[in-house]
Amino acid sequence: MTIDLLAAATATFDPDAATRAYLATLQGAARARSDAYFEGGYWIALWDGLVAALAYWLMLHLGWSAKWSAWASRVTRRPALQAGLYAIPFSVVGALLLLPWGAYTGYFREHQYSMSNQTFPAWLGELAIGAGVNLVFMFVLFAIVFAVIRKAPRTWWLWATGTIVALMVFLVMLSPLFVEPLFNKYTPMKDGPVKAEILRIAHEQEIPTNDVYVVDASRQTKRISANVAGLGPTIRIALNDNLLNRSNLAGIKSVMGHEMGHYKLHHVWKLIGYFSLIALLAAALLKWGAPPLLARYGDRWKVKSVSDPAVAPLFGLLIALYLIPADIAFNSVIRHHESEADAFGLEAAREPDGFAMTAMQLSEYRKIEPGKWEEILFYDHPSGRTRVQMAMDWKAKHLKELPVDQQRAFVMTADQPAK
C-alpha cells in the first residue's frame, strides 16, 4: 500500500513537514498501545533488578547457598570443581525463582500487546535451552573466578574483570555458530534482487562477505529486526523474516546499511570496551561492598568469606542493584552507536524514505515521541521521531542527488514484501 500525500517533487522540500506526515501515520489506538507497551518497559527494567535481588536474598536468608556450598565440598575436594558444582543448584534454583516474573514479562505481556507468536510450551522450551547454556557458562565462570579469588585475595577483582571480559569475547565469537542456532534457523538468502542489492552495498563498503542470512524470527515474534553477530571470522549479518516479509527493497536496504554501519564503525569492540568498564566497577563494588556485609550477616547466612562460593547470591544481589543505574548509563552508549549506524546507513543505502518507513514500523512497539529526558534515560535506540527527522534532514540535503521517484515530499510503503 503506497500513500502519497504530497505527490509532486519540489525544490522546497520541507523536512519538518515530511517528518510530521510520517508521524501522523501512527495514530489512535495503535499509538496508544505502542506508548503503553514501551512505557511499561521502564518499570520492568526496575523490577527486573529488584526481583533478581529478592531471589538472591532468599538464597542467603533461607540458608540454601551455604547448603549448596557444603554439598559441593562433600562431592569433591578440588576447590575449582566445588565452585563449578555449586553453580549448578545456584543456576537452577535461580531460574525457577525468576520463572514467574520471566513468564509475565517474556510471554504473557508479549501476548497482551500482540507481540508474540509463540505458544507457552514453545516459549518454555526456549527458556529451558537458554537455562542450559547459562548453566554451562556459569560452571566455567564460577570455577575460574573463585580460583582467582583464592589465588589473589587482594587484587582478585581486577583479575576477575579480565576473566569475565575474556569469557564474554569468547561467547560473542562462538554465539553465531553454537548458541543462536539453538533458538532459530539461519539460512542463506536466495539469489534475487534483494540479496544482490544488499551485497552491492556491502561490497561498496568493503565488507568481506558474499552471504546474507535470513532468520526465522516469526516463530517467536512479530518484530522486524536485523543484526551483526560474532567477531572476526564468525561475523554474520542477518535479517529476520519479518523484515523480509513486511518491508520493500528500500526499507531492507536501509536496515542492512545500518547493520553494516555497526561492522564498519567497530561497534562490537567498542561495546566490549564499555562493558569492560562496567564490569570493572561491578567488581570493585564487590571487593569493597561484600566484606562489610559478610562481617555483619555472614554468621547468619553461614557464609565464611568471599572465597566461599556460597557468597555468590550476595555478589548477585549487589550486582542486580548496581545494574539498575548502570543500565541507564549504558543505554546512552548504545543509543549513540545506533545513531552513528543510522547516519552510516543513510549514506550507504541512500534510501531516506525506506529508513523512515522502517522507523515507523519499529514505532509500533516503541514510543514514537518521548520527552527529551525520557529518551535520554530509557531509550537504547533513537526514538522514531528522532530517526524520521534524521532521514528527512538527510533527504533535504541530498534531494537533487536522488532519483525523481524519491524526491516526493512524503511516501510511505508498508507491508509490501520485497520478493
Side-chain angles (χ1 to χ4, degrees):
M1 175 178 61
T2 301
I3 306 170
D4 188 352
L5 299 182
L6 302 171
T10 174
T12 59
F13 175 77
D14 184 345
D16 294 331
T19 297
R20 289 193 297 271
Y22 268 107
L23 299 185
T25 63
L26 184 64
Q27 294 288 344
R31 183 161 180 163
R33 183 173 61 250
S34 171
D35 288 355
Y37 175 77
F38 200 77
E39 289 170 356
Y42 306 161
W43 292 103
I44 286 175
L46 171 63
W47 281 106
D48 279 345
L50 296 179
V51 169
L54 175 61
Y56 293 132
W57 178 81
L58 286 174
M59 293 180 188
L60 291 169
H61 181 71
L62 298 177
W64 296 345
S65 186
K67 292 177 181 178
W68 298 335
S69 181
W71 164 76
S73 297
R74 291 194 300 269
V75 172
T76 179
R77 294 183 178 180
R78 296 183 179 182
L81 285 180
Q82 288 173 4
L85 287 174
Y86 169 91
I88 297 174
F90 173 80
S91 300
V92 172
V93 173
L96 292 174
L97 288 174
L98 296 175
L99 178 60
W101 176 246
Y104 167 69
T105 59
Y107 179 79
F108 293 106
R109 187 172 185 269
E110 291 296 294
H111 279 271
Q112 177 186 352
Y113 285 93
S114 301
M115 297 305 304
S116 176
N117 294 326
Q118 280 189 305
T119 64
F120 188 73
W123 178 85
L124 202 60
E126 289 192 356
L127 188 71
I129 293 172
V133 172
N134 181 68
L135 183 60
V136 173
F137 177 80
M138 294 295 282
F139 186 99
V140 175
L141 177 66
F142 274 45
I144 296 176
V145 166
F146 281 99
V148 167
I149 293 175
R150 290 191 305 274
K151 297 293 184 180
R154 293 185 178 181
T155 59
W156 66 263
W157 60 288
L158 295 172
W159 295 104
T161 300
T163 298
I164 291 170
V165 172
L167 287 174
M168 189 197 69
V169 172
F170 186 69
L171 186 62
V172 170
M173 182 177 293
L174 295 184
S175 182
L177 300 179
F178 300 106
V179 179
E180 292 176 9
L182 296 175
F183 301 94
N184 291 97
K185 184 178 181 180
Y186 287 77
T187 56
M189 180 181 285
K190 296 179 180 179
D191 291 337
V194 177
K195 180 179 179 179
E197 278 295 288
I198 293 173
L199 290 179
R200 177 188 64 78
I201 296 171
H203 295 157
E204 285 179 355
Q205 301 303 321
E206 299 180 344
I207 296 175
T209 182
N210 291 309
D211 290 309
V212 180
Y213 290 89
V214 179
V215 54
D216 61 342
S218 60
R219 293 173 51 248
Q220 295 118 337
T221 181
K222 296 178 181 179
R223 290 177 172 86
I224 63 172
S225 181
N227 67 74
V228 177
L231 287 172
T234 69
I235 282 183
R236 177 181 62 203
I237 300 177
L239 69 160
N240 74 15
D241 54 352
N242 291 324
L243 176 63
L244 188 63
N245 292 330
R246 287 196 58 191
S247 293
N248 60 10
L249 181 58
I252 293 172
K253 287 166 62 178
S254 69
V255 172
M256 300 311 292
H258 168 98
E259 297 303 328
M260 293 174 197
H262 285 307
Y263 172 85
K264 291 292 290 185
L265 298 170
H266 309 292
H267 284 165
V268 173
W269 285 110
K270 290 177 181 178
L271 285 176
I272 288 173
Y274 289 120
F275 174 83
S276 300
L277 176 60
I278 290 176
L280 179 64
L281 294 176
L285 172 65
L286 300 183
K287 164 66 176 176
W288 281 281
L293 291 171
L294 285 180
R296 184 169 182 176
Y297 301 107
D299 290 341
R300 182 184 306 176
W301 296 333
K302 298 181 181 179
V303 180
K304 302 174 183 177
S305 68
V306 295
S307 62
D308 183 352
V311 79
L314 177 59
F315 282 1
L317 189 156
L318 292 173
I319 291 174
L321 297 178
Y322 160 75
L323 287 179
I324 294 173
D327 282 346
I328 293 176
F330 201 48
N331 281 345
S332 293
V333 172
I334 298 174
R335 189 175 63 253
H336 174 69
H337 284 179
E338 295 295 331
S339 183
E340 286 185 332
D342 286 348
F344 184 98
L346 283 166
E347 293 291 339
R350 305 184 71 80
E351 294 284 0
D353 286 291
F355 184 90
M357 177 200 71
T358 302
M360 295 305 301
Q361 290 175 323
L362 292 169
S363 295
E364 294 170 3
Y365 50 88
R366 293 178 183 170
K367 185 176 181 180
I368 193 168
E369 290 191 271
K372 176 182 177 181
W373 283 103
E374 187 179 8
E375 186 165 359
I376 289 172
L377 292 175
F378 299 114
Y379 279 62
D380 59 2
H381 286 64
S383 67
R385 181 198 57 78
T386 298
R387 286 178 140 173
V388 173
Q389 185 72 60
M390 175 187 280
M392 294 300 98
D393 287 342
W394 186 94
K395 181 176 179 177
K397 183 178 180 180
H398 299 273
L399 188 65
K400 294 182 180 180
E401 304 167 17
L402 298 174
V404 173
D405 63 345
Q406 291 191 43
Q407 293 182 15
R408 289 173 290 177
F410 172 75
V411 176
M412 182 171 177
T413 304
D415 295 311
Q416 288 290 327
K419 297 299 185 182

